[in-house]
Amino acid sequence: MIRINAIIDQLLSYWPQADIDLIQKAYIFSAKVHEGQVRLSGEAYLSHPLEVAWLLTQMKLDQVTVAAGLLHDTIEDTLATTKIIEEKFGPEILHIVNGVTKISAIHFQSQEERQAENIRKMILAMSDDIRVILVKLADRLHNMRTLGFQSPEKQISIAQETLDIYAPISARLGMHRIETELEDLCLYYLEPSAYQTIKDGVARKREERERYIREVKALLQNKMEMVHLPCRLEGRPKHFYSIYKKMINQNLDISQLYDLIAFRVIVKELAECYEALGHIHSLWKPIPGKFNDYINLPKTNQYQSLHTKVIGPFGERIEIQIRTEEMHRVAEEGIASHWQYKEGQPLDETDAKKFKWVRQLLDSQKVQDPREFLESVRIDLFPDEVYVFTPQGQVKMLPKGATPIDFAYAVHTEVGHHCSGARVNKKMVPLRTFLQHGDVVEIITSAGHLPSKDWLKIVKTSKAKNRIRQWLKIEERKRSIDIGKDLLEKELRKNQLSVSQQMKSDSLLRIAQELSFQKVDDLLAGIGFGKISIRQVVHRMLPKEAIEEKNEEESLTFPSRRQPPRERGGVLIRGVQDVMTRFAKCCTPLPGDEVVGFITRGRGITVHARFCPQVVAEDQERMIEVQWDTSDKTKTLYPVKIEVWSNDKTGMLAEVSAAITSAESNILKANAMTTPDKKAFYQFIIEVSDTLHLQTVMNNLKKIKGIINVIRSFEKNV
């Protein structure tokens, strides 16, 4: 177990003026409140906060963070309260401990909506004070090191959560040392056989590899000494998880992988990086297309290095990274290397800009749909960047697969909204073109050109997706307001009410508020979307005498015997709630069909199957994205028409009916006829739960001897 003296010595080694009394006080308090608690390993629980604090000193973090590391579990696992922590250690330490406690309460293996909310909380904690996530990463790393004492089920659950969330965050923060250890530990628990294969493969060639490293380093050292370029050389095997990914991606055995060793040339000055690169390329032949300049074009986490691959002295590929000592420190420690060791001061403005992606993630929180939010987070946590240029030479960093539309939104939201075309390297290209490293992109704008719903299918960045969705929602609202206004005016005329007078009067605002709308436009949008009946609104405008007369007329009307249509839920409308929906009779969509919504005037959303010919004929501007609600576990049944052809024989109708009912489907309606050529033709309206259920029914029918064909029908009389 790490001793408190070792933690203090390590802290003083990089920060001689540190307040040791604060660390001692935090240690004594933690020991007192954790007294009697033990970990699954049998060790005293205090060993865990000590290990976390030790890891934080390895990152060379400030005294406040180290003290918070000693206290990080006190609120969650002991009787200590936030009030006591604040009284004894101040609001700054309490803030970090509270943030870690909230993140620790998050369980990512959950419903998508809950997962989205949990990640929102974590991002807020990160953006508010990055030290919160640094303490949490140290906590997770030590827990992963001792994961063997957990049950097999928990080992897999925690390792998967770490691989999905914490390893990518440490990578995004540039903390290479923590990232690689977390990934290797996750591989050990998630893919034990692959881990052992790699371990054995690396171990078998250990002597050969060490000899190879010595020989390559000697050749590099001799070259640098010849040209009088002082440097420090490193050579080490790549970590297991990166080897595993290469094996999977390239479908190779470990014996077939040759570039398992990375060499580093570490120099003093930036200019010496490029000088060293030239000498290396004069020593060994570079491999075309395998050079990356991350110095002039740093990664999002501010990683900087020159990367090159060469054909080495023994005909094998060698990866060489060239960087300064400062770049090396940032590459290993990431955001922690930028922390100022001054009490009460966070990252300065320059360093904060380097990690502005954490703040940018907050934009994603404005997205209400949890699936859209999670998509934005995944894009931001798993970037694979390309660097492209404006015609003026400004660099824009975009994820791999980004298009000119992504570039346009990266320049400015209005440029994105009015993007009508693009030139890449002075050539006109389609807007769905994938951008490549070094492309020069010029966006052509047009005032009359506006975003299309189809853009959502081709853009890659979360910023572009969010801006397009926001614009579409605004436009959908404008259209629904126009539709609502049109319907209201028609209904007012029908009831002999003055349109201009009613639209200008305060009564419309009063009615809107009575119906739980804040403004008149909200009411009109509700009418247009079908959230509220137009009659509910006009009824409140009519004089009392007219209402009584109308009620009297309706009471004399003979009631209709027609049964109201059965309510059928099951669809979600992206970005909209509580909208009246109905299913189109022309195509009778079923769960499993791709569907699309059509905004009808005053009747909400009509859901069509995407293949429905009626969809093509409709006004595309009134289309809206919908999808089946997979979370709805109720056994809803849907009517669908099928047509059956068979040879005409006695008892065939009975066999067909029996086959339908044996597939647990109810027959609502049936028609049968015989054709002149002695064939039978049947039309059925049956109830099924989804397309798979329908396919089961149709397969049952096709097994009957004498059946010629069975198809699903789309006529408009279901």
Side-chain angles (χ1 to χ4, degrees):
M1 184 170 75
I2 294 290
R3 301 290 179 185
I4 189 63
N5 288 340
I7 293 169
I8 290 171
D9 290 344
Q10 176 66 16
L11 177 61
L12 290 172
S13 70
Y14 61 84
W15 195 10
Q17 73 274 27
D19 182 0
I20 301 309
D21 289 342
L22 175 68
I23 305 301
Q24 288 279 15
K25 185 180 175 183
Y27 166 68
I28 293 167
F29 182 83
S30 184
K32 183 179 178 180
V33 296
H34 285 300
E35 188 177 3
Q37 295 180 347
V38 293
R39 306 195 84 216
L40 291 176
S41 62
E43 284 186 295
Y45 193 89
L46 183 62
S47 64
H48 173 62
L50 283 168
E51 291 284 354
V52 170
W54 172 253
L55 285 168
L56 294 169
T57 61
Q58 298 297 297
M59 299 180 207
K60 295 183 170 58
L61 292 173
D62 63 324
Q63 62 187 16
V64 169
T65 314
V66 176
L70 288 166
L71 299 166
H72 78 277
D73 271 341
T74 53
I75 294 175
E76 183 181 10
D77 294 332
T78 76
L79 297 176
T81 63
T82 55
K83 185 179 179 181
I84 292 171
I85 299 292
E86 185 171 18
E87 286 174 356
K88 287 184 175 294
F89 302 100
E92 190 177 6
I93 288 178
L94 172 65
H95 183 73
I96 298 172
V97 173
N98 245 339
V100 176
T101 303
K102 287 174 183 176
I103 294 177
S104 298
I106 295 171
H107 301 287
F108 294 96
Q109 305 297 323
S110 59
Q111 294 288 337
E112 198 163 34
E113 288 78 6
R114 195 184 307 162
Q115 183 182 8
E117 185 56 36
N118 287 338
I119 296 178
R120 279 190 180 103
K121 291 175 184 174
M122 188 172 70
I123 290 167
L124 277 170
M126 286 169 59
S127 62
D128 188 44
D129 191 332
I130 205 72
R131 291 176 293 183
V132 171
I133 201 66
L134 297 179
V135 175
K136 183 59 191 175
L137 287 174
D139 170 59
R140 179 51 61 108
L141 179 55
H142 184 245
N143 282 334
M144 284 299 298
R145 287 175 176 177
T146 56
L147 193 59
F149 296 99
Q150 295 281 1
S151 66
E153 294 78 15
K154 277 213 164 187
Q155 288 173 0
I156 291 172
S157 172
I158 293 170
Q160 191 62 59
E161 177 183 281
T162 302
L163 191 63
D164 289 345
I165 303 294
Y166 293 104
I169 285 176
S170 58
R172 203 70 165 82
L173 293 171
M175 306 178 75
H176 177 72
R177 191 178 297 162
I178 289 181
E179 174 205 1
T180 54
E181 187 174 353
L182 285 176
E183 287 178 340
D184 284 354
L185 287 166
C186 291
L187 182 66
Y188 176 82
Y189 289 103
L190 296 175
E191 298 289 345
S193 58
Y195 182 93
Q196 195 60 44
T197 299
I198 295 168
K199 184 180 178 182
D200 293 344
V202 170
R204 275 196 301 272
K205 296 185 176 182
R206 181 177 177 181
E207 288 186 14
E208 178 186 336
R209 185 179 66 252
E210 288 178 351
R211 184 174 65 253
Y212 178 76
I213 290 172
R214 285 195 301 271
E215 290 172 353
V216 171
K217 283 174 69 175
L219 290 168
L220 278 169
Q221 191 69 51
N222 289 338
K223 180 67 178 178
M224 296 306 165
E225 287 176 358
M226 284 174 58
V227 297
H228 307 291
L229 182 60
C231 66
R232 182 162 63 86
L233 299 174
E234 288 185 357
R236 65 173 70 176
K238 294 184 176 178
H239 70 292
F240 286 8
Y241 187 73
S242 68
I243 295 171
Y244 170 75
K245 284 200 297 185
K246 189 164 283 192
M247 289 168 62
I248 296 297
N249 293 339
Q250 299 180 16
N251 196 25
L252 296 174
D253 184 80
I254 189 168
S255 61
Q256 298 171 292
L257 296 176
Y258 295 104
D259 54 343
L260 299 182
I261 302 168
F263 291 89
R264 292 195 188 117
V265 178
I266 302 171
V267 295
K268 290 183 179 179
E269 304 295 335
L270 188 150
E272 293 174 343
C273 294
Y274 294 93
E275 184 182 347
L277 177 70
H279 295 313
I280 290 167
H281 284 179
S282 70
L283 184 62
W284 296 309
K285 185 177 180 180
I287 299 170
K290 295 296 181 181
F291 169 71
N292 286 301
D293 184 349
Y294 293 119
I295 292 179
N296 278 318
L297 299 169
K299 291 188 177 183
T300 355
N301 57 23
Q302 294 310 298
Y303 172 89
Q304 288 183 293
S305 275
L306 299 178
H307 285 203
T308 186
K309 281 190 178 179
V310 298
I311 304 298
F314 309 106
E316 293 183 347
R317 294 183 172 203
I318 301 176
E319 180 182 317
I320 301 176
Q321 302 165 358
I322 308 165
R323 58 180 71 149
T324 65
E325 288 285 358
E326 175 61 18
M327 291 173 192
H328 182 62
R329 189 167 69 88
V330 174
E332 292 299 303
E333 304 298 341
I335 198 170
S337 68
H338 293 269
W339 195 264
Q340 296 180 354
Y341 310 127
K342 297 176 184 175
E343 188 169 2
Q345 290 191 20
L347 294 173
D348 65 20
E349 189 176 345
T350 305
D351 286 333
K353 284 179 181 176
K354 293 177 180 178
F355 297 94
K356 65 180 180 181
W357 66 272
V358 179
R359 287 282 179 188
Q360 288 171 348
L361 276 176
L362 293 176
D363 283 348
S364 304
Q365 297 189 85
K366 297 171 186 175
V367 179
Q368 292 182 351
D369 189 293
R371 294 176 184 85
E372 294 173 7
F373 169 72
L374 289 174
E375 179 186 8
S376 299
V377 172
R378 288 183 191 114
I379 289 168
D380 284 320
L381 281 186
F382 297 87
D384 193 356
E385 302 95 347
V386 294
Y387 298 88
V388 293
F389 298 87
T390 67
Q392 293 76 34
Q394 290 181 319
V395 181
K396 296 292 178 185
M397 184 175 57
L398 299 169
K400 197 170 184 179
T403 65
I405 302 173
D406 291 293
F407 179 88
Y409 278 101
V411 173
H412 195 277
T413 298
E414 286 303 310
V415 175
H417 283 348
H418 299 291
C419 172
S420 59
R423 292 188 186 92
V424 175
N425 303 324
K426 298 186 178 179
K427 293 181 181 178
M428 288 296 297
V429 298
L431 289 177
R432 61 178 60 248
T433 302
F434 291 162
L435 299 177
Q436 306 296 328
H437 271 305
D439 282 346
V440 178
V441 186
E442 180 187 354
I443 299 298
I444 300 164
T445 59
S446 171
H449 204 277
L450 296 169
S452 161
K453 198 176 295 180
D454 293 334
W455 285 7
L456 290 173
K457 299 173 186 175
I458 60 175
V459 294
K460 186 74 174 174
T461 60
S462 57
K463 179 178 180 180
K465 287 179 184 289
N466 292 338
R467 296 297 185 271
I468 294 166
R469 285 178 182 133
Q470 287 169 10
W471 188 89
L472 289 172
K473 285 174 184 176
I474 291 168
E475 288 304 303
E476 284 170 4
R477 176 177 164 80
K478 286 179 182 176
R479 286 201 301 273
S480 65
I481 289 172
D482 290 341
I483 292 169
K485 189 175 181 181
D486 184 42
L487 290 169
L488 180 59
E489 288 176 351
K490 286 179 180 176
E491 193 69 19
L492 288 172
R493 290 191 189 97
K494 192 189 296 183
N495 286 275
Q496 287 84 47
L497 293 171
S498 168
V499 173
S500 59
Q501 185 179 341
Q502 293 294 334
M503 296 299 281
K504 289 177 183 176
S505 70
D506 292 336
S507 63
L508 201 55
L509 176 59
R510 175 183 54 77
I511 292 167
Q513 291 170 346
E514 283 176 9
L515 295 169
S516 302
F517 294 100
Q518 289 187 349
K519 297 182 292 186
V520 171
D521 278 355
D522 297 336
L523 173 65
L524 296 174
I527 296 170
F529 261 128
K531 285 186 177 182
I532 188 167
S533 165
I534 185 67
R535 289 183 178 84
Q536 283 181 268
V537 179
V538 175
H539 186 79
R540 284 172 163 78
M541 293 180 172
L542 291 171
K544 187 177 179 181
E545 300 77 19
I547 295 171
E548 289 172 355
E549 186 179 331
K550 201 173 185 68
N551 290 339
E552 189 177 334
E553 287 176 5
E554 288 176 357
S555 67
L556 296 172
T557 307
F558 191 81
S560 169
R561 287 186 172 274
R562 186 181 174 205
Q563 294 295 319
R566 179 173 43 184
E567 281 190 23
R568 290 180 286 161
V571 290
L572 298 172
I573 302 163
R574 177 163 286 186
V576 182
Q577 297 178 339
D578 302 324
V579 178
M580 184 168 60
T581 58
R582 61 193 184 94
F583 292 86
K585 292 183 178 181
C586 50
C587 53
T588 58
L590 301 174
D593 290 330
E594 286 191 38
V595 287
V596 66
F598 180 75
I599 302 172
T600 58
R601 293 183 178 271
R603 290 186 295 168
I605 308 287
T606 302
V607 180
H608 290 263
R610 200 174 284 276
F611 55 72
C612 176
Q614 188 74 21
V615 170
V616 180
E618 298 283 15
D619 178 5
Q620 296 297 307
E621 289 298 310
R622 291 166 68 187
M623 293 298 174
I624 188 170
E625 287 297 317
V626 299
Q627 61 190 29
W628 294 102
D629 183 3
T630 55
S631 66
D632 185 6
K633 302 302 180 185
T634 57
K635 189 75 172 178
T636 306
L637 295 175
Y638 300 82
V640 63
K641 176 180 274 191
I642 59 171
E643 295 179 351
V644 183
W645 285 266
S646 73
N647 294 323
D648 185 25
K649 66 173 187 178
T650 305
M652 178 59 81
L653 179 57
E655 284 189 61
V656 169
S657 301
I660 294 172
T661 54
S662 69
E664 299 183 357
S665 176
N666 183 40
I667 300 173
L668 298 176
K669 188 177 179 181
N671 286 318
M673 61 180 290
T674 305
T675 62
D677 58 349
K678 301 295 182 184
K679 297 289 189 292
F681 172 66
Y682 309 98
Q683 286 182 322
F684 295 96
I685 298 175
I686 62 174
E687 286 185 315
V688 295
S689 57
D690 53 29
T691 52
L692 288 176
H693 190 188
L694 174 62
Q695 194 59 50
T696 301
V697 174
M698 294 171 71
N699 289 342
N700 272 16
L701 292 170
K702 289 174 183 177
K703 291 175 185 176
I704 299 172
K705 189 176 181 180
I707 292 293
I708 299 168
N709 197 13
V710 182
I711 66 166
R712 177 180 173 183
S713 175
F714 299 105
E715 293 180 17
K716 194 177 177 178
N717 57 352
V718 173

